[in-house]
Amino acid sequence: MRWDSLFRDLEGQFSAGRALEAESEITERARVELAGIHLGDRLRGVLGAEIKIGLIDGSLVRGRLSHVGGEWLVLTEHGRQWLLPYDSVVSYQGLGRVALKPESRIRQSLGIASALRALAKDRSEVIVHLKVAAGDGYKLQGVIDRVGRDYFDLAVVQHGEVRRAGNVAAVMTIPFSSLAALCSAGNQDLRSGRD
């Protein structure tokens, strides 16, 4: 009779040990899985949702997440679109726990230069927000003329002016590393249907 209770006690301890081991294994698997999730995957999980982003220059942008690229995202705020490089963002508010892998490796591999080239081709008027003050402040307005490997040339023009030689106040060469954000000067679509 004593042996029955002894064996039941041993079985209980064994079962408890196995449950603890299984729980520990699940926790470790969850840690490993979480370590493999990229920020872009989390952003894709809230595509179309309203989020709030803190930028390196201290400003906040709130809007609907409309595109997630390999190095950048597009946020739509009251008809204005913002192209934001990941390295200019200091905080995100409103990301859920859902993470989605990219649909296309090609789309994911397109960097900030690809987005800027699309804007240069469209001759879209943009407002460039810099990480550091230049001239009259942190903002420049104009049209992207050319895009190199790690820089772009901005023809600075007055709002609403067409990019013509007589309207260009200056041509500024801006390294990608100095770009805090870029927004549409009007209601243009910064993606222009391309990545």
Side-chain angles (χ1 to χ4, degrees):
M1 304 288 177
R2 278 186 20 205
W3 288 12
D4 288 340
S5 65
L6 177 65
F7 291 139
R8 278 194 299 272
D9 187 41
L10 284 174
E11 285 175 4
Q13 288 177 15
F14 181 71
S15 292
R18 286 183 63 191
L20 186 59
E21 187 177 300
E23 185 178 315
S24 176
E25 185 177 332
I26 290 169
T27 301
E28 183 59 27
R29 283 185 184 180
R31 275 192 210 118
V32 168
E33 186 177 314
L34 185 60
I37 295 175
H38 295 274
L39 177 60
D41 299 340
R42 295 271 312 276
L43 289 165
R44 276 184 289 283
V46 295
L47 200 57
E50 294 283 325
I51 63 172
K52 184 171 156 183
I53 294 178
L55 296 175
I56 199 165
D57 67 356
S59 61
L60 296 172
V61 182
R62 184 184 317 235
R64 183 181 57 80
L65 182 60
S66 54
H67 185 77
V68 177
E71 299 174 348
W72 48 278
L73 59 95
V74 175
L75 203 65
T76 303
E77 172 195 45
H78 306 296
R80 174 174 278 183
Q81 291 193 298
W82 291 81
L83 184 134
L84 305 167
Y86 289 158
D87 64 358
S88 294
V89 177
V90 295
S91 67
Y92 296 90
Q93 185 177 338
L95 299 188
R97 293 185 178 263
V98 175
L100 298 175
K101 294 291 180 191
E103 294 175 13
S104 161
R105 286 182 172 255
I106 294 171
R107 273 182 87 166
Q108 189 59 20
S109 67
L110 298 175
I112 191 86
S114 299
L116 294 174
R117 284 188 186 101
L119 293 171
K121 183 177 180 182
D122 284 350
R123 309 305 284 166
S124 300
E125 187 178 346
V126 295
I127 301 170
V128 176
H129 297 252
L130 301 173
K131 292 179 182 176
V132 295
D136 293 334
Y138 292 93
K139 297 178 191 175
L140 299 170
Q141 188 159 330
V143 176
I144 299 173
D145 269 347
R146 301 181 325 165
V147 180
R149 183 180 182 137
D150 57 356
Y151 70 92
F152 64 99
D153 289 342
L154 182 76
V156 178
V157 296
Q158 293 295 321
H159 178 59
E161 292 287 332
V162 178
R163 198 278 183 232
R164 290 196 177 102
N167 297 342
V168 175
V171 175
M172 305 287 288
T173 299
I174 302 167
F176 292 168
S177 61
S178 296
L179 179 64
L182 189 140
C183 70
S184 56
N187 291 329
Q188 298 110 332
D189 183 352
L190 285 181
R191 279 196 315 164
S192 302
R194 292 183 293 279
D195 294 326

